[in-house]
Short mmCIF file of all heavy atoms in Angstrom, two decimals:
data_model
loop_
_atom_site.label_atom_id
_atom_site.label_comp_id
_atom_site.label_asym_id
_atom_site.label_seq_id
_atom_site.Cartn_x
_atom_site.Cartn_y
_atom_site.Cartn_z
N PRO A 1 51.26 -5.76 34.28
CA PRO A 1 51.30 -6.04 35.75
C PRO A 1 50.98 -7.44 36.11
O PRO A 1 50.00 -8.09 35.66
CB PRO A 1 50.18 -5.04 36.21
CG PRO A 1 50.08 -4.01 35.19
CD PRO A 1 50.40 -4.73 33.90
N GLY A 2 51.83 -8.10 36.90
CA GLY A 2 51.66 -9.47 37.33
C GLY A 2 52.06 -10.47 36.30
O GLY A 2 51.85 -11.72 36.49
N GLY A 3 52.55 -10.08 35.15
CA GLY A 3 52.83 -10.96 34.11
C GLY A 3 54.17 -11.79 34.32
O GLY A 3 54.23 -12.78 33.92
N MET A 4 55.09 -11.13 35.04
CA MET A 4 56.36 -11.84 35.30
C MET A 4 57.05 -11.24 36.53
O MET A 4 56.99 -9.98 36.68
CB MET A 4 57.29 -11.72 34.06
CG MET A 4 58.64 -12.45 34.14
SD MET A 4 59.67 -12.30 32.74
CE MET A 4 58.70 -13.28 31.57
N ASN A 5 57.60 -12.05 37.30
CA ASN A 5 58.31 -11.61 38.48
C ASN A 5 59.84 -11.56 38.21
O ASN A 5 60.46 -12.56 38.15
CB ASN A 5 58.00 -12.44 39.73
CG ASN A 5 58.71 -11.89 40.99
OD1 ASN A 5 59.01 -10.72 41.02
ND2 ASN A 5 58.81 -12.75 42.00
N ILE A 6 60.46 -10.40 38.14
CA ILE A 6 61.83 -10.21 37.82
C ILE A 6 62.61 -9.97 39.05
O ILE A 6 62.36 -8.96 39.65
CB ILE A 6 62.08 -9.20 36.78
CG1 ILE A 6 61.32 -9.45 35.47
CG2 ILE A 6 63.55 -8.98 36.46
CD1 ILE A 6 61.37 -8.42 34.41
N ASN A 7 63.43 -10.89 39.50
CA ASN A 7 64.30 -10.69 40.75
C ASN A 7 65.59 -10.07 40.32
O ASN A 7 66.13 -9.22 41.19
CB ASN A 7 64.53 -12.02 41.37
CG ASN A 7 63.21 -12.64 41.92
OD1 ASN A 7 62.37 -11.97 42.41
ND2 ASN A 7 63.13 -13.90 41.75
N LEU A 8 66.10 -10.35 39.19
CA LEU A 8 67.40 -9.79 38.80
C LEU A 8 67.17 -9.06 37.49
O LEU A 8 66.63 -9.66 36.51
CB LEU A 8 68.49 -10.85 38.56
CG LEU A 8 69.78 -10.41 38.04
CD1 LEU A 8 70.42 -9.42 39.09
CD2 LEU A 8 70.79 -11.53 37.86
N ARG A 9 67.52 -7.80 37.44
CA ARG A 9 67.26 -7.04 36.27
C ARG A 9 68.60 -6.41 35.71
O ARG A 9 69.28 -5.68 36.46
CB ARG A 9 66.30 -5.88 36.63
CG ARG A 9 65.93 -4.99 35.34
CD ARG A 9 64.77 -4.12 35.74
NE ARG A 9 65.20 -3.16 36.80
CZ ARG A 9 64.38 -2.52 37.55
NH1 ARG A 9 63.08 -2.52 37.29
NH2 ARG A 9 64.80 -1.65 38.49
N ASP A 10 68.89 -6.85 34.50
CA ASP A 10 70.23 -6.39 33.92
C ASP A 10 70.12 -6.21 32.47
O ASP A 10 70.07 -7.19 31.68
CB ASP A 10 71.39 -7.37 34.14
CG ASP A 10 72.78 -6.82 33.73
OD1 ASP A 10 72.78 -5.59 33.42
OD2 ASP A 10 73.67 -7.62 33.73
N ASP A 11 69.65 -4.98 31.94
CA ASP A 11 69.39 -4.76 30.62
C ASP A 11 70.70 -4.50 29.82
O ASP A 11 71.41 -3.57 30.22
CB ASP A 11 68.44 -3.51 30.40
CG ASP A 11 67.09 -3.85 31.04
OD1 ASP A 11 66.72 -5.03 31.07
OD2 ASP A 11 66.40 -2.84 31.51
N CYS A 12 70.91 -5.23 28.75
CA CYS A 12 72.18 -5.04 27.93
C CYS A 12 71.78 -4.76 26.51
O CYS A 12 70.97 -5.53 26.02
CB CYS A 12 73.15 -6.19 28.02
SG CYS A 12 73.75 -6.48 29.80
N TYR A 13 72.39 -3.79 25.91
CA TYR A 13 72.14 -3.54 24.55
C TYR A 13 72.83 -4.61 23.69
O TYR A 13 74.00 -4.94 23.81
CB TYR A 13 72.66 -2.13 24.11
CG TYR A 13 72.69 -1.90 22.63
CD1 TYR A 13 71.46 -1.47 22.03
CD2 TYR A 13 73.81 -2.10 21.83
CE1 TYR A 13 71.45 -1.22 20.56
CE2 TYR A 13 73.74 -1.84 20.48
CZ TYR A 13 72.53 -1.45 19.90
OH TYR A 13 72.48 -1.15 18.52
N SER A 14 72.06 -5.24 22.74
CA SER A 14 72.67 -6.30 21.92
C SER A 14 73.00 -5.76 20.55
O SER A 14 74.21 -5.74 20.19
CB SER A 14 71.64 -7.43 21.74
OG SER A 14 72.13 -8.45 20.95
N HIS A 15 72.03 -5.44 19.74
CA HIS A 15 72.32 -4.92 18.41
C HIS A 15 71.03 -4.25 17.82
O HIS A 15 69.93 -4.39 18.36
CB HIS A 15 72.80 -6.14 17.54
CG HIS A 15 71.66 -7.17 17.25
ND1 HIS A 15 71.41 -8.09 18.20
CD2 HIS A 15 70.84 -7.28 16.23
CE1 HIS A 15 70.39 -8.85 17.74
NE2 HIS A 15 69.97 -8.38 16.58
N THR A 16 71.31 -3.56 16.70
CA THR A 16 70.18 -2.85 15.95
C THR A 16 70.16 -3.57 14.56
O THR A 16 71.17 -3.72 13.88
CB THR A 16 70.41 -1.47 15.82
OG1 THR A 16 70.39 -0.81 17.08
CG2 THR A 16 69.35 -0.78 15.00
N THR A 17 69.02 -4.04 14.12
CA THR A 17 68.82 -4.54 12.76
C THR A 17 68.32 -3.49 11.84
O THR A 17 67.32 -2.85 12.10
CB THR A 17 67.81 -5.68 12.83
OG1 THR A 17 68.28 -6.68 13.77
CG2 THR A 17 67.66 -6.30 11.43
N GLN A 18 69.05 -3.28 10.69
CA GLN A 18 68.63 -2.39 9.65
C GLN A 18 68.36 -3.10 8.33
O GLN A 18 69.16 -4.01 7.97
CB GLN A 18 69.75 -1.34 9.41
CG GLN A 18 69.94 -0.39 10.53
CD GLN A 18 70.95 0.62 10.20
OE1 GLN A 18 71.69 0.44 9.25
NE2 GLN A 18 70.99 1.70 10.93
N THR A 19 67.27 -2.79 7.71
CA THR A 19 66.95 -3.36 6.41
C THR A 19 67.05 -2.35 5.27
O THR A 19 66.35 -1.28 5.41
CB THR A 19 65.50 -3.99 6.45
OG1 THR A 19 65.41 -4.95 7.43
CG2 THR A 19 65.16 -4.64 5.11
N ARG A 20 67.83 -2.60 4.33
CA ARG A 20 68.00 -1.63 3.29
C ARG A 20 67.57 -2.19 1.99
O ARG A 20 67.86 -3.32 1.59
CB ARG A 20 69.55 -1.25 3.15
CG ARG A 20 70.06 -0.61 4.40
CD ARG A 20 71.46 -0.14 4.30
NE ARG A 20 71.98 0.46 5.47
CZ ARG A 20 73.21 0.93 5.60
NH1 ARG A 20 74.07 0.92 4.57
NH2 ARG A 20 73.61 1.58 6.73
N THR A 21 66.81 -1.38 1.13
CA THR A 21 66.38 -1.76 -0.15
C THR A 21 66.89 -0.85 -1.18
O THR A 21 66.73 0.37 -1.07
CB THR A 21 64.78 -1.74 -0.21
OG1 THR A 21 64.29 -2.54 0.84
CG2 THR A 21 64.32 -2.14 -1.57
N LYS A 22 67.51 -1.36 -2.22
CA LYS A 22 68.09 -0.59 -3.24
C LYS A 22 67.08 -0.01 -4.25
O LYS A 22 66.21 -0.72 -4.64
CB LYS A 22 69.14 -1.43 -4.14
CG LYS A 22 69.84 -0.62 -5.18
CD LYS A 22 70.79 -1.53 -5.94
CE LYS A 22 71.45 -0.66 -7.07
NZ LYS A 22 72.44 -1.55 -7.82
N ILE A 23 67.05 1.24 -4.47
CA ILE A 23 66.09 1.89 -5.35
C ILE A 23 66.78 2.10 -6.69
O ILE A 23 67.72 2.81 -6.87
CB ILE A 23 65.66 3.32 -4.81
CG1 ILE A 23 64.98 3.07 -3.42
CG2 ILE A 23 64.68 3.97 -5.75
CD1 ILE A 23 64.64 4.44 -2.78
N GLU A 24 66.14 1.39 -7.73
CA GLU A 24 66.74 1.44 -9.10
C GLU A 24 66.29 2.82 -9.71
O GLU A 24 65.16 3.25 -9.60
CB GLU A 24 66.21 0.30 -9.90
CG GLU A 24 66.56 -1.05 -9.37
CD GLU A 24 68.03 -1.34 -9.42
OE1 GLU A 24 68.77 -0.62 -10.19
OE2 GLU A 24 68.56 -2.24 -8.74
N THR A 25 67.25 3.43 -10.30
CA THR A 25 66.90 4.70 -11.06
C THR A 25 67.23 4.54 -12.56
O THR A 25 68.11 3.82 -12.96
CB THR A 25 67.84 5.83 -10.54
OG1 THR A 25 69.18 5.50 -10.67
CG2 THR A 25 67.50 6.07 -9.05
N SER A 26 66.33 5.12 -13.32
CA SER A 26 66.44 4.95 -14.80
C SER A 26 67.61 5.96 -15.28
O SER A 26 67.79 7.08 -14.71
CB SER A 26 65.24 5.27 -15.49
OG SER A 26 64.78 6.57 -15.22
N SER A 27 68.25 5.61 -16.31
CA SER A 27 69.39 6.40 -16.82
C SER A 27 68.79 7.57 -17.67
O SER A 27 69.53 8.58 -17.88
CB SER A 27 70.35 5.57 -17.66
OG SER A 27 69.56 4.95 -18.72
N GLY A 28 67.54 7.44 -18.12
CA GLY A 28 66.95 8.50 -18.91
C GLY A 28 67.44 8.52 -20.38
O GLY A 28 68.42 7.94 -20.72
N GLY A 29 66.60 9.16 -21.25
CA GLY A 29 66.87 9.13 -22.67
C GLY A 29 67.72 10.45 -23.03
O GLY A 29 67.86 11.34 -22.23
N SER A 30 68.12 10.43 -24.25
CA SER A 30 68.89 11.63 -24.74
C SER A 30 67.94 12.72 -25.24
O SER A 30 68.38 13.81 -25.43
CB SER A 30 69.80 11.14 -25.82
OG SER A 30 69.06 10.47 -26.91
N GLY A 31 66.64 12.38 -25.45
CA GLY A 31 65.72 13.44 -25.87
C GLY A 31 65.89 13.64 -27.37
O GLY A 31 66.48 12.91 -28.15
N GLY A 32 65.25 14.77 -27.81
CA GLY A 32 65.31 15.16 -29.25
C GLY A 32 64.15 14.48 -30.04
O GLY A 32 63.22 13.92 -29.44
N THR A 33 64.27 14.62 -31.35
CA THR A 33 63.22 14.12 -32.24
C THR A 33 63.87 13.19 -33.29
O THR A 33 64.90 13.58 -33.94
CB THR A 33 62.51 15.36 -32.96
OG1 THR A 33 62.05 16.20 -31.98
CG2 THR A 33 61.34 14.82 -33.79
N THR A 34 63.29 12.07 -33.55
CA THR A 34 63.72 11.18 -34.59
C THR A 34 63.01 11.52 -35.88
O THR A 34 61.78 11.34 -35.97
CB THR A 34 63.35 9.67 -34.25
OG1 THR A 34 64.02 9.41 -32.93
CG2 THR A 34 63.94 8.76 -35.21
N VAL A 35 63.77 11.99 -36.87
CA VAL A 35 63.20 12.38 -38.11
C VAL A 35 63.61 11.45 -39.25
O VAL A 35 64.75 11.03 -39.38
CB VAL A 35 63.69 13.84 -38.46
CG1 VAL A 35 63.09 14.32 -39.83
CG2 VAL A 35 63.38 14.81 -37.37
N ASP A 36 62.63 11.15 -40.10
CA ASP A 36 62.93 10.21 -41.24
C ASP A 36 63.51 10.90 -42.45
O ASP A 36 63.65 12.13 -42.37
CB ASP A 36 61.61 9.39 -41.58
CG ASP A 36 60.54 10.25 -42.17
OD1 ASP A 36 60.80 11.32 -42.68
OD2 ASP A 36 59.34 9.85 -42.13
N SER A 37 63.73 10.15 -43.44
CA SER A 37 64.39 10.75 -44.63
C SER A 37 63.55 11.63 -45.37
O SER A 37 64.00 12.51 -46.20
CB SER A 37 64.77 9.49 -45.60
OG SER A 37 63.60 8.79 -45.94
N ASP A 38 62.22 11.69 -45.17
CA ASP A 38 61.33 12.67 -45.76
C ASP A 38 61.14 13.91 -44.95
O ASP A 38 60.45 14.82 -45.31
CB ASP A 38 59.99 12.08 -46.05
CG ASP A 38 60.00 10.89 -47.03
OD1 ASP A 38 60.81 11.04 -47.97
OD2 ASP A 38 59.37 9.90 -46.89
#
């Protein structure tokens, strides 16, 4: 209140800003058991 005196009021939509972050996913292993020659 009292901060600014607006005589002409005309609100116009300009744009929307979106920030996107890429989430890295691991490919995963094949599983199983590694068994030696013995």
